[in-house]
Amino acid sequence: MSNEGAGPGGLLFVVSAPSGTGKTTVVERLVEICPNLHRSRSYTSRPPRPGEADGVDYNFISRSAFEAMVAREEFLEWADVFGNLYGTARRDTEAALAAGRDVVLVIGVQGAHQVRGRVSGTVGIFVLPPSFQALETRLRGRCQDEPAAISRRLETARSEVSAVDAYEYVVVNDTLDQCVAELAAIVTAERARRTRRQREVNGIVKTFEER
């Protein structure tokens, strides 16, 4: 599968960040202000957290149903994260890109590596917290996990940030509005690449040719 070049296919953005950085929140804000940008909802085997809704935050399915999708090779990427399974449906993503819609995936480092190996032209964006200490404060402040689980997430974050060099862009989620603005600027810049707009450019240049 490829969506690179000047064809009609959409762009695929991959946003990753350590747990607790706020990547889901910033991407939800991003799709609100960027026309024709669609956030792909991941599938997960974990139960919903308080305030989460099926089909809005994630597609919540049973572990057996998830494993059946894996067996049928229905995922573009999937990973086991802290004992829960997360994945991106191949069909949903391919259909959106083929329809010319730009798609943003909010996925972990493991999944991002899989996607970037399978879809050429993928644009990777890594969202960093202001510091390790700030991340720890956020994780403990949201009161969604037991202390042992928080410690495990923090240790995983130390290894996840080492993957930052594999991404084309980096933004820091210190101030939400600024972070979203920077993400929007990246989307705009990628859409304005000459190779993405070559057909339009060729048509305009042709009007300047001598007759």
Side-chain angles (χ1 to χ4, degrees), residues 52-66:
E52 290 183 332
D54 183 41
V56 177
D57 299 282
Y58 289 93
N59 294 309
F60 294 99
I61 60 177
S62 67
R63 190 177 188 90
S64 60
F66 193 107

Side-chain angles (χ1 to χ4, degrees), residues 64-181:
S64 60
F66 193 107
E67 291 171 343
M69 291 180 70
V70 172
R72 293 193 298 266
E73 299 184 348
E74 294 181 10
F75 287 117
L76 179 63
E77 59 80 27
W78 71 276
D80 186 323
V81 182
F82 305 119
N84 295 308
L85 305 177
Y86 295 82
T88 302
R90 182 189 302 274
R91 182 175 61 183
D92 295 349
T93 303
E94 292 181 348
L97 293 174
R101 290 191 292 171
D102 294 337
V103 177
V104 56
L105 306 182
V106 184
I107 55 179
V109 170
Q110 296 179 57
H113 180 72
Q114 294 176 50
V115 171
R116 291 165 67 81
R118 293 170 180 166
V119 184
S120 62
T122 299
V123 181
I125 308 169
F126 200 94
V127 181
L128 282 170
S131 66
F132 179 83
Q133 291 73 22
L135 178 63
E136 182 176 14
T137 299
R138 290 178 183 178
L139 284 173
R140 298 193 186 283
R142 69 184 190 180
C143 300
Q144 291 183 341
D145 298 294
E146 296 296 326
I150 292 175
S151 296
R152 186 169 66 250
R153 290 180 184 277
L154 289 170
E155 285 306 308
T156 300
R158 293 183 190 275
S159 62
E160 287 176 328
V161 296
S162 66
V164 67
D165 290 344
Y167 292 73
E168 283 74 30
Y169 298 95
V170 177
V171 296
V172 177
N173 188 15
D174 190 1
T175 302
L176 178 60
D177 289 343
Q178 179 62 29
C179 182
V180 174

